[in-house]
Amino acid sequence: MNDCCHFQDQGGIFIGDNVLIGHNTVLATIDHDLDPQSRQNHYAPIHIGNNVWIGASIVITKGVSIGENAVIAAGAVVTKDVPANTVVGGVPAKIIRQLPVLQMEVVSPQPEGRRLLY
């Protein structure tokens, strides 16, 4: 995690493993009604999957889930869920491209040296 990040976490923030978070990132789990007569707080969690790269100066709003291996381009405002293995960017963020799904070879204790591929 870089410097000058702001995490407003009343709704809950869940961050996976090996996540890169660029400077000036804002995670905002709260929102308000537009109607001034009923301007109440609304909370929802933010979920960030494993191996996500969040660029600099990004805003992620309440209720968003970011899938594993996703990349969020610098300056994006993320208001909707981001699928795994995608690059998103813009205001509001949209899918720019799909990333190849990498297969990782995991050696597990299997009989006769068999290996499981995930």
Side-chain angles (χ1 to χ4, degrees), residues 40-109:
Q40 299 176 17
N41 294 339
H42 298 280
Y43 306 96
I46 293 172
H47 294 268
I48 300 171
N50 296 329
N51 305 312
V52 170
W53 175 14
I54 298 172
S57 300
I58 294 191
V59 175
I60 300 173
T61 61
K62 73 175 180 65
V64 168
S65 291
I66 299 175
E68 291 192 355
N69 307 315
V71 177
I72 315 299
V77 176
V78 184
T79 60
K80 295 183 179 172
D81 289 351
V82 175
N85 304 301
T86 57
V87 177
V88 300
V91 178
K94 297 188 184 321
I95 295 175
I96 296 172
R97 65 178 246 186
Q98 291 289 133
L99 296 171
V101 178
L102 301 176
Q103 286 192 333
M104 297 176 62
E105 189 172 357
V106 177
V107 177
S108 63

